[in-house]
Amino acid sequence: MTLRTTLDFLLNDWLDATALTARERFADHNRETFDAVLDTCERIAREKYAPFNRLADVEEPRTVTEPDGSLRVVLPQATHDAQKAYAESGMLSAAQDYDMGGMQLPYSVEAAANAFFACASVSIGTGMLTTGNANLLMTHGTALQKEVFAKNEFSGRWSGTMCLSEPQAGSSLSDVATKAVPDGADFANDPLGPRYRLKGNKMWISSGEHEINENIIHLVLAKIPDENGKPVPGTRGISLFIVPKKMVNPQGELTGVRNDVALAGLNHKLGWRGTTNTLLNFGEGKFPVDGQPGAVGYLVGQPGKGLACMFHMMNEARIGVGIAATMLGMAGYYAALDYAKNRPQGRPITGAGKDAAAPQTRIIEHADVKRMLLAQKSYCEGALALELYCARLVDEHHTAGGAEAEEARLLLEVLTPIAKSWPSEWCLEANSLAIQVHGGYGYTRDFPVEQYWRDNRLNMIHEGTHGIQAMDLLGRKVLMEEGKGLTLLSHRVMATVHRCSGIPALAAHAKALGKALQEVGGATQKAWSTGVPGEALANAVPYLQAFGHTVLAWIWLDVAACALDNDPKQEQLSTQGRVGAAQFFFHYELPKIGAWLGVVQSRDLTCASFPEGAF
């Protein structure tokens, strides 16, 4: 099976994406237009991305010093060409309204199309941050902010970033120290939004400096001082600002003035090297605007509500990170599968022992290599199904209306931490297994699998670490709105269990999933039985792992049931592959949840109470 055949099955047979065309927003589309988008993206990824994946890794971003003392970033020409081709394809604005230059494409189809680029070369990038930046402005920006900033980002003329972390404040956003003060007495009257001057430093800013586009639009979190000139403590004082690299006028034209945003340096990453990762200084006076230091920024939304706005972009980015992790795992799986089919080594063991004179067998004929390949297949294809399911929920949330839209929102709340974290852990494990399948060759730079592992290692950190996602899940998402989201997910899972209980090939799996769901529910109650957050959350990560494995078991059971609906006698190898991968997951993976839930149920404090000096 190829990536395209897998996507076609998941989108069309399993998720029935074409049913969305019955809705007014997607009425101009049909299966043919969806296929045309996938065809175009598959071609661009094959021609402009895949051949240059290693080049982008080896020729990582570097800086040169300009005559004015500023730093300029140099990237390979292939990166410029790839991102130009992506922008010209219209994918930056694929899901947007026609009057914003978009195609009004379902997000599920957009996500599937973007999978080709992530598989071909994730570090060259496909504009995930630019699209997320512009989407945030479409939700929270003024009409002019949408027209000037979002529209130019969707066209590919400009690109976008998100600037949250600081050297002293990574995930702890309440400690943000970047300051924003009103710019003059008439600051509130600027047509682009209330105008402020920002001063501070931002760290780990992906695509924070480059020359791929003519401008970069930074979305920056900063605090507006209170009436005493002091920063407001905690997250309630955080506001959000549009800070362009180059100043623009209300007509969306560059004014020729550089904003006071300066590149301080590049972070030198383990992987994902094709994308710049930067330290940016805002307002240090290197590029004064109107003779004054301070980066000019325009307020988005209400003062003090910046984090709520930014979470709109962060949640979207978390699904994007999940897709990136999935496709890196998938790329490694395809490489390992090809290698295993062609690498002769070893001989079959018979009752008489090995026959040294017999020809070597290909390593795919060895049971342990099949185990490693099946693990990769179950992780990666299962994760891809999960991500597309979440993307389909986004479409339901935006277009279904009524109770269906509300259900989609609740399910997304619960599933987003899983959509981000599960692929970033288990598709990374798939990359490790791909190296193992290659043996010693896998540990060399002569084969691509080591790069896939290095690129994927970022995703357990990217957009919120495992620990943060775990506390979000157990500390907020399963409890919110009196547990409505968890209850709804349980009903969806049990519907699949009941359906599959009558399918002989899946009945045992259905029983196992029902039991697992019961165990997760019981562990959730026991974790919070004392009402003490420190006890409940001490083992949030094992809870996340067990919850994620249960969700993936459900996804695989549902996918296998769909495959059997189409091919009940399993006459097609693709059906055998999906049913076999589901069986592997239920036999080898789902049983792991017992150990994880054990420490959750007992509120084990081994880690939380361990004395620092004892390390």
Side-chain angles (χ1 to χ4, degrees):
M1 286 183 285
T2 65
L3 176 56
R4 180 57 185 272
T5 58
T6 300
L7 287 171
D8 283 342
F9 172 82
L10 293 175
L11 265 184
N12 300 305
D13 296 283
W14 184 52
L15 293 175
D16 191 16
T18 52
L20 290 167
T21 61
R23 295 180 184 164
E24 182 180 356
R25 179 170 184 79
F26 308 125
D28 291 340
H29 289 292
N30 51 42
R31 172 70 185 268
E32 287 69 31
T33 63
F34 293 165
D35 284 347
V37 170
L38 295 179
D39 289 342
T40 298
C41 292
E42 186 176 21
R43 176 183 55 78
I44 296 172
R46 182 177 62 250
E47 295 175 357
K48 298 292 186 180
Y49 283 76
F52 307 105
N53 187 47
R54 177 61 80 181
L55 175 71
D57 182 64
V58 174
E59 294 187 18
E60 59 183 308
R62 60 185 175 86
T63 59
V64 295
T65 304
E66 297 287 78
D68 62 2
S70 64
L71 297 177
R72 178 170 62 87
V73 170
V74 177
L75 291 166
Q77 183 60 41
T79 299
H80 292 256
D81 295 340
Q83 298 213 23
K84 180 181 178 183
Y86 183 79
E88 290 177 348
S89 75
M91 286 302 295
L92 285 167
S93 59
Q96 293 304 310
D97 294 347
Y98 294 134
D99 61 7
M100 289 298 291
M103 303 183 220
Q104 295 189 187
L105 200 68
Y107 178 61
S108 48
V109 177
E110 177 189 14
N114 278 326
F116 290 112
F117 299 101
C119 191
S121 182
V122 73
S123 75
I124 288 180
T126 57
M128 179 182 77
L129 288 175
T130 296
T131 300
N133 178 309
N135 283 342
L136 182 151
L137 294 177
M138 292 300 293
T139 302
H140 300 287
T142 66
L144 193 58
Q145 287 173 345
K146 296 175 188 178
E147 184 69 22
V148 171
F149 298 108
K151 196 168 187 177
N152 278 305
E153 290 182 79
F154 284 136
S155 73
R157 181 185 169 204
W158 300 344
S159 62
T161 73
M162 55 191 294
C163 300
L164 292 78
S165 299
E166 298 179 3
Q168 83 294 340
S171 300
S172 180
L173 295 177
S174 61
D175 295 316
V176 161
T178 299
K179 183 171 65 173
V181 297
D183 185 27
D186 65 341
F187 80 99
N189 299 322
D190 195 297
L192 291 175
R195 190 180 63 250
Y196 287 75
R197 293 277 183 157
L198 279 70
K199 292 185 179 181
N201 313 104
K202 293 293 181 178
M203 187 73 163
W204 310 115
I205 310 306
S206 296
S207 300
E209 179 58 39
H210 55 76
E211 294 187 339
I212 294 172
N213 317 89
E214 67 177 47
N215 205 1
I216 302 174
I217 309 303
H218 303 290
L219 286 178
V220 184
L221 292 182
K223 290 186 175 181
I224 301 171
D226 62 18
E227 61 274 9
N228 299 314
K230 296 183 179 180
V232 179
T235 59
R236 64 188 178 89
I238 296 176
S239 300
L240 180 65
F241 300 88
I242 299 168
V243 183
K245 172 185 172 180
K246 299 174 183 178
M247 300 300 294
V248 304
N249 63 25
Q251 290 73 46
E253 301 164 335
L254 299 184
T255 65
V257 175
R258 173 78 183 259
N259 204 355
D260 198 7
V261 182
L263 174 66
L266 299 177
N267 296 306
H268 302 286
K269 298 173 293 180
L270 173 72
W272 210 310
R273 294 175 177 173
T275 302
T276 56
N277 190 271
T278 62
L279 172 62
L280 299 177
N281 293 341
F282 290 84
E284 66 177 356
K286 181 165 284 187
F287 303 104
V289 180
D290 296 331
Q292 301 177 50
V296 175
Y298 306 99
L299 182 68
V300 178
Q302 298 299 311
K305 304 294 184 182
L307 202 54
C309 294
M310 188 62 92
F311 266 116
H312 180 280
M313 184 175 180
M314 290 168 68
N315 283 333
E316 185 175 319
R318 284 169 176 166
I319 294 176
V321 167
I323 292 174
T326 297
M327 299 319 300
L328 280 164
M330 195 78 84
Y333 165 57
Y334 289 146
L337 180 61
D338 181 69
Y339 184 83
K341 287 179 176 179
N342 291 285
R343 168 67 170 172
Q345 185 163 302
R347 292 167 177 82
I349 299 175
T350 65
K354 289 185 180 180
D355 181 1
Q360 290 183 314
T361 60
R362 295 169 303 132
I363 63 172
I364 197 170
E365 298 176 51
H366 298 304
D368 192 55
V369 173
K370 286 186 177 181
R371 176 190 64 82
M372 292 188 285
L373 291 171
L374 261 171
Q376 293 172 68
K377 180 180 178 68
S378 72
Y379 298 156
C380 300
E381 291 186 13
L384 180 58
L386 170 66
E387 299 303 326
L388 293 179
Y389 182 83
C390 289
R392 186 68 157 78
L393 288 176
V394 172
D395 289 325
E396 294 297 320
H397 177 48
H398 288 162
T399 64
E404 287 182 78
E406 176 62 9
E407 286 191 359
R409 180 190 69 81
L410 287 167
L411 286 169
L412 277 169
E413 290 282 7
V414 175
L415 289 176
T416 295
I418 304 301
K420 187 275 172 185
S421 63
W422 198 91
S424 71
E425 179 173 8
W426 296 100
C427 293
L428 177 68
E429 174 61 17
N431 288 130
S432 181
L433 289 170
I435 293 174
Q436 191 72 14
V437 168
H438 281 73
Y441 289 112
Y443 199 64
T444 70
R445 290 191 297 274
D446 302 302
F447 286 77
V449 287
E450 61 85 27
Q451 182 185 341
Y452 297 140
W453 186 92
R454 284 189 291 105
D455 286 345
N456 216 351
R457 188 58 187 83
L458 172 63
N459 289 314
M460 286 184 73
I461 304 166
H462 213 181
E463 301 304 332
T465 63
H466 240 39
I468 288 172
Q469 304 299 329
M471 288 190 287
D472 182 41
L473 178 65
L474 181 55
R476 291 181 61 243
K477 297 300 177 61
V478 300
L479 304 177
M480 65 183 291
E481 300 180 39
E482 300 181 339
K484 284 184 181 178
L486 180 58
T487 299
L488 180 59
L489 178 62
S490 298
H491 289 162
R492 293 275 178 109
V493 173
M494 287 308 298
T496 302
V497 167
H498 292 318
R499 174 189 171 202
C500 294
S501 295
I503 303 174
L506 303 178
H509 304 335
K511 183 178 179 180
L513 178 57
K515 182 173 181 289
L517 181 66
Q518 201 170 30
E519 290 174 356
V520 169
T524 307
Q525 292 179 338
K526 288 182 179 179
W528 284 105
S529 60
T530 64
V532 180
E535 293 181 3
L537 300 177
N539 296 291
V541 167
Y543 178 84
L544 176 82
Q545 291 170 313
F547 196 107
H549 259 51
T550 302
V551 167
L552 264 292
W554 165 52
I555 292 288
W556 264 120
L557 187 62
D558 209 65
V559 166
C562 177
L564 287 172
D565 283 344
N566 294 345
D567 180 22
K569 294 183 179 180
Q570 297 193 52
E571 294 175 340
Q572 299 174 26
L573 283 172
S574 59
T575 305
Q576 295 172 31
R578 292 180 180 109
V579 174
Q583 178 173 308
F584 175 90
F585 199 89
F586 275 90
H587 288 181
Y588 287 76
E589 293 295 327
L590 189 59
K592 293 177 180 177
I593 72 169
W596 291 323
L597 291 179
V599 292
V600 176
Q601 292 169 333
S602 65
R603 299 180 300 284
D604 190 295
L605 297 178
T606 299
C607 299
S609 63
F610 196 82
E612 181 181 330
F615 284 103

